[in-house]
Amino acid sequence: MASSTPKNPKPQPDRTRRSERSRQAILTAALDLIGESGYQRLTIEAIAARAGVGKQTIYRWWPSKAAVLLDAFVALGEEAADGGTELPDTGDLAADLKAVVRATVDELNSPRFDAPSRALAAESVVNPELCAQFTERVLEPQLELYVRRIRAAQEAGQADPDADPRTALELIVGPLAHRWLLRTLPLTHAYADAVVDLALRGLTPR
Amino acid sequence: MASSTPKNPKPQPDRTRRSERSRQAILTAALDLIGESGYQRLTIEAIAARAGVGKQTIYRWWPSKAAVLLDAFVALGEEAADGGTELPDTGDLAADLKAVVRATVDELNSPRFDAPSRALAAESVVNPELCAQFTERVLEPQLELYVRRIRAAQEAGQADPDADPRTALELIVGPLAHRWLLRTLPLTHAYADAVVDLALRGLTPR
Amino acid sequence: MASSTPKNPKPQPDRTRRSERSRQAILTAALDLIGESGYQRLTIEAIAARAGVGKQTIYRWWPSKAAVLLDAFVALGEEAADGGTELPDTGDLAADLKAVVRATVDELNSPRFDAPSRALAAESVVNPELCAQFTERVLEPQLELYVRRIRAAQEAGQADPDADPRTALELIVGPLAHRWLLRTLPLTHAYADAVVDLALRGLTPR
Amino acid sequence: MASSTPKNPKPQPDRTRRSERSRQAILTAALDLIGESGYQRLTIEAIAARAGVGKQTIYRWWPSKAAVLLDAFVALGEEAADGGTELPDTGDLAADLKAVVRATVDELNSPRFDAPSRALAAESVVNPELCAQFTERVLEPQLELYVRRIRAAQEAGQADPDADPRTALELIVGPLAHRWLLRTLPLTHAYADAVVDLALRGLTPR
DNA sequence: CCATAAACGAGACGGTACGTCTAGTCTTAAG
DNA sequence: CTTAAGACTAGACGTACCGTCTCGTTTATGG
């Protein structure tokens, strides 16, 4: 155990010397380009050219086009700083969920988020490695907030304590994702409200 | 009275002279290849080579790789002949839905359906034209069956007559799609049952 | 030796039922197209389309694009009806040759003849089969006229009886062809005269 | 004072970074392939494959297949190093010309030179741009040697001082080219001698 | 005067090569 | 050593033609 630098086949580059300027330029270029031309036409070459960066600089730090996009999307999310926030808890579960779900609908309908998140979703459907990254870094932290809010409701007696919070959350999030991804019908506040109401009340008559 | 045949600059080929043999070979080759190598490596050239067909024969009849795949998938579905069937109606809505949803889970977990349907879903997320075709030809006919079954349940007094059947259906299908597409957690019969139960009972305690 | 119809692998079609209309249209179309777009862009499909003819009608009667062109060129030549004529014999060899050679220069410089004959020459350089046809049907009959005129001159004592008429003719025709084919310098009447004069007089001082 | 570097829309690549290895491989592959299969079957793809080179590397540096061939042919000529040499001057014009012309005949009859030079000649006949390049880089330097030798002969009193050396040269070279290109009759030393003799002596009896 | 067999127009077919585009790797010069 | 720049090998793209192979439709005798 003498060698202090155990040479891997591909010795990863020295992160301390990485150019922050280039990193920013690449992420910005990726977001700009996907907004302009769509995912199909987003190429590494175009990103490099737009960012004023050598292609190798991208290949050095990211394993794929989708990975660049994921980082770009995370950076976009951090701007909006909605990562750490907790879901509201006013005591009214239905109202709180509707508020959050309406905000999500607005985000999904905003062009700024739509293009990159669609691209990531599409890539994730077909690329398990990226999918794992995407869910871990973006999706699950969001879903965890729902779990906590539902659990609080259960403790407060506003929700059936036997229900699995994870399933409950997916009962709300799943339909929204379905409409958004497959564009079956428009994704509106009214629909968001209807989903929340029905998920809380259930289909069986009371 | 506008002409019903607005002549395009590229006159479409004569469908009556189309080679059924080639059509079959192309669809089969597409399904085989996507099962073997995934969507990313599925190329028109590979399909043509595998099918023993000139590339132009593909370009003549399909506008894109995704369109070939959609046709191949539809053909696959017609094999299984699940297009025209009605959902079972034993009088027990929960049991009927669980049976159907479990079958869907099995289908989504089978390799034969997984690869092509993932590819189509991914492409649809990012390609509105294909998405419209996909939903119209594949998705909506399936969803319509749910609508009818739920409506029957409402008429039989087993389901809340005020609930929108469309929303109710999405409450069940959405979560399955979500887990399948984004692989957040395994897609099992148990999960399918849990979704149906919760969707019927609702999260609010009774 | 009983069979009166020894079936070849490719039984050639019945010439008596050939459509003269189509034949004319094809030759005309070939000449028109080569004049418009050059040999590089002359395609069988374009000829067929322009002539309003099926491709098979061309393939039935000609073995190659170049063969069509050769026939078209021969037809063009027969229009001009210079095939059977004899070279003039006024008793003045130099004057007679200059007259003929000037006429040839004019022909080579006329756009109507230039494009197709260039194409045939180019193809001949690289395609021995066509070359044999071309020389037999077009070139040699012309050259033979020179041989006869020179031989007459030798008999009349106007030309060295020891000289080979064939070599003599090529001394005149070769330089013209050289300039025309390789465009080294302009092909003029003055040049034609100079070639004839020098070929008759010789380079050695008298 | 107009700019001397009028920026083209397609900025030409950086010549200093060109791979000499690839260039050589391409030229060699082109010569090999044309010798094996003829010009008709010489394709850019075949050259690239044989040379172990990407197609783009050919398209980057040459505008057309013919341009590759021209460079390959020039390289072949430079091997033989016959570019800078002067024609021999032993004082006997006839003997000197015959020696040179016989050597040319041998070259034209050698398979190594025949295929590529035929291809270039054929292409030149039909492609003025290539023709200009071909004559400038290959043909004219050769012809200029004849002009100088003939002029020397005129100064030495061995050739008619009134004759135009350019015409005289073409009187010799033209017939050789004619026989070679159109294969009317075999191209032999005897024919070469006969042409030189007749060109010097003239057809008119002395 | 039809019957029939060919040549015909049209164009789909299996292929080959085109010239372009992008991927991902490698090389160079500057810092 | 990282960077911008970009040449490199590799190979898919979508297009254009090739030469072959059906399709009906003329058309032109010959039974």
Side-chain angles (χ1 to χ4, degrees):
Chain A
M1 268 213 263
S3 172
S4 58
T5 51
K7 294 224 170 178
N8 293 333
K10 275 194 185 179
Q12 56 262 68
D14 181 347
R15 292 169 188 284
T16 65
R17 308 193 53 173
R18 180 167 184 182
S19 158
E20 180 58 18
R21 174 192 231 294
S22 294
R23 192 181 144 275
Q24 289 291 356
I26 289 164
L27 299 183
T28 302
L31 285 179
D32 289 355
L33 285 170
I34 207 170
E36 290 166 19
S37 325
Y39 186 53
Q40 323 266 30
R41 289 183 202 162
L42 180 70
T43 67
I44 297 268
E45 300 214 322
I47 297 173
R50 169 76 72 111
V53 139
K55 286 201 290 175
Q56 199 54 43
T57 302
I58 300 182
Y59 284 110
R60 194 169 4 248
W61 301 110
W62 288 276
S64 70
K65 184 173 61 176
V68 176
L69 205 55
L70 179 54
D71 274 12
F73 186 69
V74 168
L76 190 63
E78 279 166 3
E79 263 180 43
D82 56 1
T85 331
E86 208 65 32
L87 252 52
D89 188 347
T90 65
D92 180 346
L93 179 59
D96 290 351
L97 287 176
K98 285 181 186 173
V100 173
V101 159
R102 285 174 170 224
T104 300
V105 164
D106 289 342
E107 204 170 82
L108 292 176
N109 283 329
S110 90
R112 186 166 173 69
F113 278 82
D114 183 75
S117 41
R118 285 202 112 84
L120 283 170
E123 189 66 29
S124 292
V125 166
V126 121
N127 177 341
E129 288 77 34
L130 179 78
C131 188
Q133 289 271 318
F134 177 61
T135 50
E136 182 190 330
R137 295 178 58 190
V138 176
L139 196 55
E140 289 297 347
Q142 297 284 332
L143 299 186
E144 188 55 27
L145 303 181
Y146 283 86
V147 170
R148 280 210 287 278
R149 180 64 187 83
I150 290 169
R151 208 163 269 152
Q154 289 175 320
E155 284 161 11
Q158 294 160 357
D160 181 352
D162 293 337
D164 173 25
R166 178 80 202 191
T167 306
L169 144 215
E170 293 181 9
L171 219 62
I172 293 167
V173 167
L176 298 179
H178 193 253
R179 281 218 173 169
W180 176 60
L181 288 173
L182 296 180
R183 281 178 266 236
T184 46
L185 289 172
L187 189 58
T188 61
H189 284 193
Y191 178 67
D193 290 354
V195 166
V196 170
D197 283 335
L198 192 54
L200 292 181
R201 210 178 337 108
L203 185 55
T204 311
R206 293 187 178 244
Chain B
M1 263 233 220
S3 166
S4 58
T5 51
K7 295 212 174 181
N8 292 332
K10 279 192 184 181
Q12 56 268 54
D14 180 348
R15 293 171 190 282
T16 67
R17 307 187 52 183
R18 180 167 185 182
S19 160
E20 179 59 19
R21 172 191 236 295
S22 295
R23 195 183 139 271
Q24 291 290 354
I26 289 164
L27 299 183
T28 303
L31 285 178
D32 289 355
L33 285 169
I34 207 170
E36 290 166 18
S37 323
Y39 187 54
Q40 321 269 28
R41 287 183 202 160
L42 180 69
T43 66
I44 297 269
E45 297 214 323
I47 296 173
R50 170 74 73 109
V53 138
K55 284 201 288 177
Q56 199 56 48
T57 300
I58 300 182
Y59 287 111
R60 191 167 11 244
W61 301 111
W62 287 278
S64 70
K65 185 172 62 176
V68 176
L69 206 53
L70 178 54
D71 273 11
F73 187 70
V74 167
L76 191 63
E78 280 166 3
E79 264 181 43
D82 55 1
T85 330
E86 208 64 29
L87 254 52
D89 188 346
T90 65
D92 180 345
L93 180 60
D96 291 350
L97 287 175
K98 283 181 188 172
V100 172
V101 158
R102 283 173 173 223
T104 300
V105 164
D106 290 342
E107 205 171 83
L108 293 175
N109 282 330
S110 92
R112 187 165 173 69
F113 277 77
D114 183 76
S117 40
R118 284 203 114 82
L120 282 171
E123 189 65 27
S124 292
V125 166
V126 122
N127 177 342
E129 286 78 33
L130 179 76
C131 189
Q133 289 271 319
F134 177 62
T135 50
E136 181 190 330
R137 296 179 55 190
V138 177
L139 197 55
E140 289 298 347
Q142 299 282 334
L143 300 187
E144 187 57 25
L145 302 181
Y146 283 86
V147 169
R148 281 211 286 277
R149 180 64 187 84
I150 290 169
R151 208 163 271 151
Q154 289 176 321
E155 284 162 13
Q158 294 161 359
D160 182 352
D162 294 338
D164 173 25
R166 178 84 202 189
T167 306
L169 144 214
E170 292 181 9
L171 219 63
I172 293 167
V173 165
L176 297 180
H178 192 254
R179 280 218 173 169
W180 175 62
L181 287 172
L182 297 180
R183 285 179 265 235
T184 46
L185 287 173
L187 188 59
T188 61
H189 284 192
Y191 178 67
D193 289 354
V195 166
V196 170
D197 282 336
L198 192 54
L200 292 180
R201 211 182 332 111
L203 184 57
T204 312
R206 289 181 181 247
Chain C
M1 270 204 264
S3 171
S4 58
T5 51
K7 294 222 168 178
N8 293 331
K10 278 192 184 180
Q12 56 264 67
D14 181 347
R15 292 169 188 284
T16 66
R17 308 192 54 173
R18 180 167 186 183
S19 159
E20 180 60 18
R21 173 191 231 295
S22 294
R23 194 182 141 272
Q24 290 291 353
I26 289 164
L27 299 184
T28 303
L31 285 179
D32 288 355
L33 285 169
I34 208 170
E36 289 166 19
S37 326
Y39 188 52
Q40 324 265 31
R41 288 181 203 166
L42 180 69
T43 68
I44 297 268
E45 298 213 325
I47 296 172
R50 169 74 74 108
V53 139
K55 285 201 290 176
Q56 199 55 41
T57 302
I58 300 181
Y59 285 110
R60 185 157 28 234
W61 301 110
W62 289 276
S64 70
K65 183 173 63 176
V68 176
L69 205 54
L70 178 55
D71 274 9
F73 186 69
V74 168
L76 190 64
E78 279 164 3
E79 263 180 43
D82 56 1
T85 331
E86 208 63 31
L87 253 53
D89 187 348
T90 65
D92 181 344
L93 180 60
D96 291 349
L97 287 176
K98 285 181 188 171
V100 173
V101 159
R102 284 174 168 219
T104 300
V105 164
D106 289 341
E107 205 172 83
L108 293 176
N109 282 331
S110 91
R112 187 164 173 70
F113 279 82
D114 183 77
S117 42
R118 286 201 112 83
L120 283 170
E123 190 64 29
S124 291
V125 165
V126 121
N127 176 342
E129 286 76 34
L130 178 77
C131 189
Q133 289 271 318
F134 177 61
T135 50
E136 182 190 327
R137 296 177 56 189
V138 176
L139 195 56
E140 289 297 347
Q142 298 283 332
L143 300 185
E144 187 57 26
L145 303 180
Y146 282 87
V147 170
R148 280 210 285 278
R149 180 64 187 84
I150 290 169
R151 207 164 269 150
Q154 289 176 320
E155 282 161 13
Q158 294 159 0
D160 181 351
D162 294 337
D164 173 25
R166 177 81 200 192
T167 306
L169 146 211
E170 292 181 8
L171 219 63
I172 293 167
V173 166
L176 297 181
H178 192 255
R179 280 216 172 169
W180 175 60
L181 288 171
L182 298 180
R183 284 178 265 235
T184 45
L185 288 173
L187 188 59
T188 60
H189 284 192
Y191 177 67
D193 290 353
V195 166
V196 170
D197 282 336
L198 192 54
L200 293 180
R201 213 181 331 110
L203 184 56
T204 312
R206 298 195 170 235
Chain D
M1 262 234 225
S3 167
S4 58
T5 50
K7 295 211 174 182
N8 292 332
K10 280 194 183 179
Q12 57 268 56
D14 180 346
R15 294 171 188 283
T16 66
R17 306 188 54 182
R18 180 167 186 183
S19 160
E20 180 59 18
R21 171 190 237 294
S22 295
R23 196 184 140 271
Q24 291 289 354
I26 289 164
L27 299 183
T28 303
L31 285 178
D32 288 356
L33 285 168
I34 207 171
E36 290 167 19
S37 324
Y39 186 55
Q40 321 270 29
R41 288 182 202 163
L42 180 70
T43 67
I44 298 269
E45 298 212 323
I47 297 173
R50 169 75 73 107
V53 138
K55 285 200 290 179
Q56 200 55 48
T57 302
I58 300 183
Y59 286 110
R60 184 158 27 235
W61 301 112
W62 287 278
S64 70
K65 184 172 64 174
V68 176
L69 204 56
L70 178 55
D71 274 11
F73 187 70
V74 168
L76 189 64
E78 278 164 6
E79 264 181 42
D82 55 1
T85 332
E86 207 65 32
L87 255 51
D89 188 347
T90 65
D92 182 345
L93 179 61
D96 291 349
L97 286 176
K98 285 179 186 173
V100 172
V101 160
R102 284 171 169 221
T104 299
V105 164
D106 290 342
E107 205 171 81
L108 292 177
N109 282 329
S110 91
R112 187 166 173 68
F113 276 78
D114 183 75
S117 40
R118 284 202 113 80
L120 282 170
E123 189 67 28
S124 292
V125 165
V126 123
N127 176 340
E129 287 76 33
L130 178 77
C131 189
Q133 289 270 317
F134 177 61
T135 51
E136 181 189 330
R137 294 179 56 191
V138 176
L139 195 58
E140 288 297 347
Q142 298 282 333
L143 300 186
E144 186 58 25
L145 303 180
Y146 283 86
V147 169
R148 281 210 285 278
R149 180 64 187 82
I150 291 169
R151 211 163 266 152
Q154 289 176 321
E155 283 161 13
Q158 294 159 0
D160 181 352
D162 294 337
D164 173 27
R166 179 80 202 193
T167 306
L169 144 213
E170 292 182 7
L171 219 63
I172 293 166
V173 165
L176 297 179
H178 192 254
R179 281 216 171 169
W180 175 62
L181 288 173
L182 297 180
R183 287 180 261 234
T184 46
L185 288 173
L187 190 58
T188 61
H189 285 193
Y191 177 67
D193 289 354
V195 165
V196 170
D197 281 336
L198 191 55
L200 292 181
R201 211 178 337 106
L203 183 57
T204 312
R206 292 185 177 246

